[in-house]
Structures are given as structure tokens and as C-alpha cells.
Amino acid sequence: MSKAVIDALRARFPDAVNDAYEGVGGDDVAFVRKENVAEVCRFLKDDPALRFDLAPYVTAVDYLGVEPRFEVVYNLFSTVHNHRVRLRVKVPEEDAVVPTITGVWRGANWFERYCWDMYGIRFEGHPDHRRLFMYEEFVGHPLRKDYPLRGRQPLVAERDVPDLYRGPGPAGRD
Amino acid sequence: MDAERKQAAPVTAQEPRAPDDLDAPFPAKRMLVNLGPSHPAMHGTTRAVVELDGETIAAMKLDIGFLHRGFEKSCESVTWNQCFPYTDRLNYVSAIMNNVGFALAVEKLCKIDVPDRAKYLRVVGSEMHRMCDHFTLVGALGLELGAMTVLLYAMEARDLLWDRLTELCGARLTSSYCRIGGVARDLPEGWSEKTARTLDRCAVLRDEIDALLTRNRIFVDRTRDVGVVNREDALDLGFTGPCLRASGEPYDVRKSAPYLVYDRVEFDVPVGAHGDNFDRYLMRIEEMRQSERILRQCLAQMEPGDIAIRDFRYVLPPKPQVYGTIEGLMAHFKIIMEGIKVPAGEAYSYTEAANGELGFYVVSDGGGRPYKLGIRAPGWPMVAGLPHMVVGSLLADLIPTFDTINMIGGEVEQ
Amino acid sequence: MASEMDLVPGITTRREEAQNALQKMVSKGLGWARKYSLFQYPFVTACCGMEFMSLAASRYDLDRFGAALPRFSPRQADLLIVVGTVNCKQAPILKRVHEQMADPKWVVAFGVCASSGGFYDNYATVQGIDRVVPVDVYIPGCPPRPEQVLDGIILLQKKIQGQPHKLIDRLPPALPGQG
């Protein structure tokens, strides 16, 4: 793929883009500093030469043993220009907070919830910051490398089912 | 209880009565209905809490996670080839496409290119499963709107396709057909001719379903202009595949970044105009026609050859060599016990699954087991965008919308 | 504690046989009626659901066994077919649905994920629904072929035919010296 995307990124955000390389199979990859993720994404979406309009695929990786521990990966695609770019954002364990990009693409909402649920990475500014897959009382973040595959959870009392149908009503009910 | 109430709410002249007291028998104006996780129209695993204003949906909250089976974590603890059964069960109606997507991702990292015949076989399997997926969707859509005959025809067509696939890979549904470096088996004797006849029969059934639904007054009334998503919203929400094409964006991975043999076969990509349920349904019917076209061309173009690369580092050697030579035995042992050694690095590979862009993000640390295997499920953005699509329409419109976005629990909840 | 009554061989007099004959006939009749009119609640979660759809369709017709009509309300069903993987988030819901069903009820675990967790031996999956609800028939397979499921349904029907029916089969009176 062309290097145009990386060059444009580097020109616009010289301090936010740490490193860029061409990965396996011709993917363009850039490391972005986590504080600047939201504005980089806004630029990538709005700039007419880049126009990454499709909501990206956001995932996270746990590199246990390496500092910084986590990495949030954004895979962007442009339907207009048919090019792709991957942004890798290193996130340390002590400060696992990344600005949200739900303001840029609404479709990133659930992906960020997945990263919170599975890895414990917070996204500040996220409108609905709760677990996606696991139940609320779940302890821990399953996809972290130090969570065992067959991890057992503490027993949780069965939740009281609120009477959704009738709703809150006169005294004596709910 | 009555006495309690009289005591609890003394009526004074100054205090205005709260509306609840006046409407004491009637609760709040909006009704919360829980379309629970065990619900036929929720395809089994989604919980939708809708706030109804009469029959109109005022707000909707989706809860998923009721089928989360720990796909990624399981794949991190097995070898690369052992991941294939896990990938089968992602989008379980079109399992071979998941296999192909995963195999392509790993082969991208390993920088290996499979032989031509393997490419054709992968495409044949993918397109057959794409047809199965679309038949399932159309059948379920018909069933949930009251046309049960459509379901029976669709199931018959699907069973016929599965018969052919059973002869090919051994299983109807969860095929595990691909391997890193090729495919598991070659076509049996006479399979191409049988498949051609099966495709003829499926074409008859598909046209029958088309005739039953496409100009059916009830069906059109229930799906036309329902669940409308315009092009910008669809892109913003991350739709891909038939749902995006129904909204007017002609994006198909098979055309924009052709992989395997899609550049050698001729096919069209249907694009809709309205972005409503009816267009999404029409996409499926048209794509079935195109899939049949691709299949017939592939079966005609295929040449005899290897079905997997002859590299003992990635592919199991043939049995005479495993039992006859020491290199074969060692290679077999190492591949089974330790797994294929995929070079360290990361890659993102994308294919056009039945539902949209299926992406696999693989990270390898050089060993025999995946370090991370992330999947971009095509159905995920559509399910996430469901509240956007149905808020403002009737509760009965939720059902066909949920059907046409083709939520498959296995892939959305990994 | 065993009493001498246990050592008495089980010989019945013709009078006892005559008294039990009507009871046995009604019990067999109930068994016959119940097994051929199963109202299923397909608790479908995952891939096995596709085989369930195939099973209910024309080729592998489940209707010929009397078990065609899916009742999507637990109050109206007597056969809970748990199709597919049940994970820790879904398990309370399964338990609740099972509790809402009225007796007599039977549970069929369709697929290995429902029988034993399948190959999802991890943090999220319940290793078999028998950790949550009592199961009558386990149908292994991933997914099981429809013929296998029909075999399981026939097995269940045999079980229903032979089981004691609370309506007519009273428990034998407690012998002196026992509970």
C-alpha cells in the first residue's frame, strides 16, 4: 500500500506519531501516543485525502512482561480511497486510560467496551462504560495473560429480577 | 395494603398530587419490555430491553454476552491448526469462511502462498457456505414474518448444500476444512457433477422463495422503509457487507482487495438504494445468484494439482512419508505437538464473509500457539447499531430488522 | 438399616396383580400420551441451533415423533431442549426457565456443549447444563447430526413410557422401620 497515509500523519502530528513502518503484507502501521489518539483519528476521518470513514476495528493486546504492557490497535479503512492503516497505541498498566474515539465514529463504542471488559483499559469520555460480554459481578479481566484459562469466579447471589413489565408502581410493588 | 396506602399518602390541600397517585392503577406511561436472552426472535442470545411508548420504541438497550465462549482465550492455548474448530463456531452458518479468513491471516504472517487448486477449493467451500448463510437468513426472515413455507424451502436447499459439504469435508456445519497452507481434503469422485445438480435444485428453491416473498404485499409492507440506515450512518456505525451495500455503498472486499481467486471469476456485486430491510433481503437473494455463478465458474476452471503446499514446516506430510521416512515422522510430530512455528509479528487480514468484512488480527510470538487472535466480527457493528435503526419504529419492526442484520451469536460474542 | 422385609422375595399374589393391572394400564397410557405429544421449548443459543432448524424442517421431520410444535413459553412446554453452549451469564436464565416449567417436564441436552461444556473448557462456559438443571437425555455431537438427535428423542420417549407418572403411580407406602 502507499506510504501516503503515514507521511501525511507524520507531517501533521510529528510528535504524536512515534514510529511508522510497513508491516507484513504491505500494511501501513504507525505508533501513536495515547494522549493524541482522538485528534489523530479525527484528522484521519476528516482529511479529504485520507477519509477513513468506516468505523475501525479496535482491539487490544496484552504484552505481559514488556513495558508498556498493553497496546490498543486500531485498524482503519477508507471506502473512498480504498486504503488501510493500523494505529498502535501503547498503554502502560498503571495508567491504562485512553481517550475515546466514539466521538469520531459511533461504531467504536462496543469495541472500546470490549477492551475494557477483556483487558481493563479505560476509555475516558466513553458514553456507556460498562462490561460487554461478562456479567457485571465478574472479577477480573479475562483476556489478560495473567488470568487463567479456566478461571473460576466467586459465587454471586442470584439477582433479584425487577418487575420490568409493571414498572415502579404504587406502594407494595417494587 | 389499602389501609397502608391511605395512611402513607395523606391528602393535603397545598401539596399537588403526584401523577402516579392519580394514575394509581396505571404505571408510568412508557412500558419496559424485556425481549430476553431466550427468545425465538432474538436468535437465542441477545437481550433487548425496549422502552415502549404505546407500540413505538422510544429507547432500546442491548445486552450481549450470553454466548461468550472465550474464543480468543481458548485459541491462545492451542496450536495454530487446532484453532480451526474454534473459528468454525464463530459464524456457524458459514463456517468455511471463518476458516479461510483465519488461514489467510496466518499465511500472511508466514508469507506463504497456497497452491492454485487449494485457492479454488477454498472459494468453492466459501461460496457454498455463503449460500447456506443467505438461505438461513431468508428462511428465518420468512418464518418470523409468518411465512413458514419459506423456511421449509430454505432448509431443504441448505440440507442439499450440506450433503455436498459432508462429502467434501466430513461435517455439515462445522467443517474445519482449511489448514494452514492449503485445505484438508480434495474433492471426492464425481463431486463437481453432483454439485452442479445440487446448484440447479437450489436455484429452483431460491427462485421459489423469491417468488413467494419479493412481491408479496405483506412482506413488502413489513420490510419496506423499515429499519432504514443511510449511507453515512452505516459507515459511521461500521457496517460492512450486504447491510452496507443495501445502504448504497458498493464496498466488497472481493472486488476492492481480491484474494484467493476472486479476480479470476466474473461476478457482480449487488448494491441497494434505500438501506431498509427489504433491500437487505434483496441483497441476500442476489448474492445467492452471484455465488452460484462463482461456484460454477470455479468448478469449471479448477485444474488438478496440490491441495496444500509441500512444506513440512507448515503442512503435515503425506502418510507414506510419515511412516516411511524419519523427516516425515519428525515433521508430523512437531507440527502436532508443538504447532506450526509462525514468525513473530502481527497481521490483519480481511475477507468478505457472508455478513461483511471478517477480519482476523493475529499476533504471533514465534511459537506454535497464537499470542493473540482478535476477530472483527462482521455482525458486531450491525448489532451495536440496532438501537439506532429501530428507535422510532414499531415493536413489530424490530423483528425483521433483527433478522436482516443477520446477527450470528457465535461471531458477535466470540 | 435393612429389615427382614428386604429379604422376602418379591412374589405377588394374583390379587395384587389384579389390583395393579388397572394402575399399570393407566400408567402406560399416560406414558404413551406424554411421549407422543411433547411440546418442546428450544432453548437455542449456538451452532446446534442450525441443526435444530434442520431437524424441525421437512427432511428430518421432528413432527413425526409428535414433538413438532415449539412453544416459546416455558409455561406451555414440557420438554426443555437446551441447544448449544450455556455460559455463566446464560445459566441463571436457563435455571429460571426450567423452574417456570410445570411438571411433568424433561430436559434434553442437545450437543456436547450442553452435555459437558464441549471443547470450551474455559472461564466463560458452564461445563454441562447438568450443573444447573437435571437432564434426562444427553445427545452428544458438535453439532449432532439430525439422525442422532432423533435417536435421542426416541430414547427420551422410551424413558417417558417406562417412567412412573405421579398422576397415577403413587409411591409405595413406607415399610415399618424405614423413612
Side-chain angles (χ1 to χ4, degrees), chain B residues 337-380:
Chain B
M337 295 304 290
E338 293 176 0
I340 299 167
K341 298 282 184 291
V342 171
E346 37 108 54
Y348 177 68
S349 147
Y350 38 92
T351 57
E352 179 80 15
N355 227 0
E357 176 186 319
L358 172 68
F360 278 94
Y361 179 66
V362 282
V363 178
S364 165
D365 57 353
R369 303 186 141 76
Y371 190 79
K372 150 101 187 172
L373 179 55
I375 160 182
R376 184 209 186 270
W380 177 314

Side-chain angles (χ1 to χ4, degrees), chain B residues 33-50 52 62-63 66 92 140 143-144 222 395-396 398-400 402-403 407 409, chain C residues 41-46 49 52-53 70-74 80-81 83 90 93-94 97 100:
Chain B
V33 170
N34 182 42
L35 291 160
S38 177
H39 190 287
M42 294 292 114
H43 293 255
T45 56
T46 316
R47 177 174 178 237
V49 181
V50 294
L52 290 178
L62 266 178
D63 255 338
F66 297 94
Y92 35 79
L143 174 72
E144 293 181 10
R222 281 209 64 179
L395 180 61
L398 173 61
I399 308 302
F402 207 94
D403 270 316
M407 174 211 147
Chain C
Y41 182 104
F43 192 94
V44 170
T45 41
F52 180 78
M53 282 163 83
R71 299 276 131 214
F72 287 105
S73 161
L80 176 67
I81 313 186
V83 182
Q90 183 82 321
I93 290 145
L94 171 63
V97 165
Q100 288 177 339

Side-chain angles (χ1 to χ4, degrees), chain A residues 107-145:
Chain A
N109 188 321
W110 274 21
F111 289 114
E112 293 186 343
R113 277 177 65 187
Y114 156 90
C115 291
W116 159 243
D117 187 8
M118 296 282 123
Y119 289 95
I121 300 171
R122 306 195 68 88
F123 290 86
E124 63 176 304
H126 194 279
D128 190 15
H129 205 294
R130 58 193 167 101
R131 286 189 178 269
L132 185 68
F133 288 144
M134 307 313 301
Y135 51 95
E136 267 108 52
E137 298 89 339
F138 193 90
V139 171
H141 298 280
L143 275 178
R144 288 191 173 187
K145 289 288 178 185

Side-chain angles (χ1 to χ4, degrees), chain B residues 307-319:
Chain B
I307 56 164
I309 58 169
R310 294 180 188 218
D311 187 339
F312 289 2
R313 290 173 301 161
Y314 298 107
V315 176
L316 292 177
K319 285 291 181 273

Side-chain angles (χ1 to χ4, degrees), chain C residues 10-11 38 43 85 92 95 97 107 110 129 135 139 143 164 169-170:
Chain C
I11 305 169
L38 289 167
F43 192 94
T85 321
K95 182 158 177 284
V97 165
V107 179
F110 185 134
I129 59 167
V135 178
I139 305 178
D169 296 308
R170 307 271 183 277

